[in-house]
Amino acid sequence: MSPNLTGAILMMVSMACFTINDAFLKAAGGALPLFQLLFLRGIFSSLLIGGLAWQRGSLRIAVSAQDRRLIALRSVAEVAAAYFFVTALLEMPLANVTAILQVLPLTVTLGSAVFFQEPVGWRRFLAIGIGFAGMLLIVRPGTDGFNVWSLYALIAVICVTVRDLSTRRLSPGVPSLLVTLSASVTVLVAAGFASLTITWAPVTPWLGGLVLASSVFIVGGYFFSVQVMRAGDVSFIAPFRYTGLIWALALGWFVFGDWPAPLTLAGAAIIVATGLFTLYRERSLMRR
């Protein structure tokens, strides 16, 4: 296979892993409190990521003070994103939450222009505006379909945008697995302290299996997303991230019996179309 085809397959596998992880979390979340759920998943995922990072030698590399500050900011954003995203995930249909998250390429592009003065032409600004209009079709503020959980999903988008913008400023030599492990351990510690304020629910073998499966798939998502960056042209591979929405639609329908309303599907289609256009414009500008 060509490097681009390999990268596209890895991206699709990564998106499948992340979405399946969400489905396992949603299935377990009905019986386990949020902080307990995040803490238990954090134990498994941190051990798995830590073992992988140790095996690849990612823990033996010196990191500058500037990169340490960026890693700390990214980890705090990861904690906030985990809280708001998983809370929304447990209360909303899987496809709806995933559709809102598809606006991320647009928010990262906008954030890069605002905070890093990266050049963004009027076409991409127009695409961002249309994409946000598509997001409003999903959230539908001011209607009966809007609730606080939609707001939680939007806050999660902001948190993940901060996380991704922080990642962009890291030095190229900082290992991805080290950054991922830092975020995972930070979520683990934060959820552990927060779980002291709640009453823990008993963990049955079934629930323990769901949490373990969630941990395995999220580590798989992280691992394959790291591999993606080492295969092919990123501008060619990036559009395949939207396959996560297909997985969310399928799992939401078959596992939870949810199917989005027509306006939600229309909003998701608009977001995906504008995201693809933004990626296309970035690729075209890079070739000039």
Side-chain angles (χ1 to χ4, degrees), residues 108-170:
V108 171
T109 299
L110 180 61
S112 298
V114 172
F115 296 107
F116 303 144
Q117 287 75 53
E118 293 185 8
V120 177
W122 67 269
R123 294 180 182 85
R124 281 191 285 173
F125 271 123
L126 179 62
I128 290 170
I130 295 173
F132 284 145
M135 182 187 65
L136 291 178
L137 286 178
I138 300 172
V139 177
R140 295 192 291 279
T143 67
D144 294 337
F146 180 76
N147 53 45
V148 68
W149 313 123
S150 301
L151 187 60
Y152 271 50
L154 293 176
I155 296 174
V157 168
I158 296 173
C159 295
V160 177
T161 302
V162 173
R163 182 199 69 185
D164 288 355
L165 290 176
S166 303
T167 306
R168 284 194 174 195
R169 310 306 290 181
L170 287 171

Side-chain angles (χ1 to χ4, degrees), residues 69-249:
R69 286 191 290 269
L70 288 170
I71 291 173
L73 174 61
R74 185 187 186 281
S75 298
V76 171
E78 186 76 63
V79 171
Y83 171 73
F84 287 108
F85 173 75
V86 177
T87 301
L89 176 68
L90 299 182
E91 301 292 340
M92 294 175 64
L94 176 61
N96 288 40
V97 181
T98 306
I100 293 174
L101 285 183
Q102 301 311 304
V103 80
L104 273 172
L106 303 178
T107 58
V108 171
T109 299
L110 180 61
S112 298
V114 172
F115 296 107
F116 303 144
Q117 287 75 53
E118 293 185 8
V120 177
W122 67 269
R123 294 180 182 85
R124 281 191 285 173
F125 271 123
L126 179 62
I128 290 170
I130 295 173
F132 284 145
M135 182 187 65
L136 291 178
L137 286 178
I138 300 172
V139 177
R140 295 192 291 279
T143 67
D144 294 337
F146 180 76
N147 53 45
V148 68
W149 313 123
S150 301
L151 187 60
Y152 271 50
L154 293 176
I155 296 174
V157 168
I158 296 173
C159 295
V160 177
T161 302
V162 173
R163 182 199 69 185
D164 288 355
L165 290 176
S166 303
T167 306
R168 284 194 174 195
R169 310 306 290 181
L170 287 171
S171 303
V174 177
S176 299
L177 283 173
L178 175 62
V179 177
T180 303
L181 178 62
S182 174
S184 181
V185 172
T186 305
V187 173
L188 166 65
V189 172
F193 279 113
S195 69
L196 298 177
T197 65
I198 63 172
T199 301
W200 278 46
V203 181
T204 64
W206 170 251
L207 291 173
L210 289 176
V211 175
L212 178 59
S214 169
S215 304
V216 170
F217 276 101
I218 196 170
V219 172
Y222 285 134
F223 175 77
F224 287 114
S225 65
V226 170
Q227 297 301 110
V228 162
M229 304 310 296
R230 299 177 177 177
D233 181 0
V234 174
S235 61
F236 174 87
I237 297 166
F240 290 92
R241 68 176 292 123
Y242 291 112
T243 57
L245 183 56
I246 299 174
W247 279 98
L249 287 168

Side-chain angles (χ1 to χ4, degrees), residues 32-71:
L32 296 177
L34 173 64
F35 294 130
Q36 180 184 354
L37 182 62
L38 289 175
F39 178 70
L40 293 176
R41 189 189 70 168
I43 293 175
F44 292 130
S45 59
S46 295
L47 288 173
L48 291 170
I49 296 170
L52 187 61
W54 178 264
Q55 188 269 332
R56 288 178 169 254
S58 300
L59 303 181
R60 297 188 290 272
I61 295 177
V63 179
S64 69
Q66 174 67 16
D67 285 325
R68 286 198 297 270
R69 286 191 290 269
L70 288 170
I71 291 173

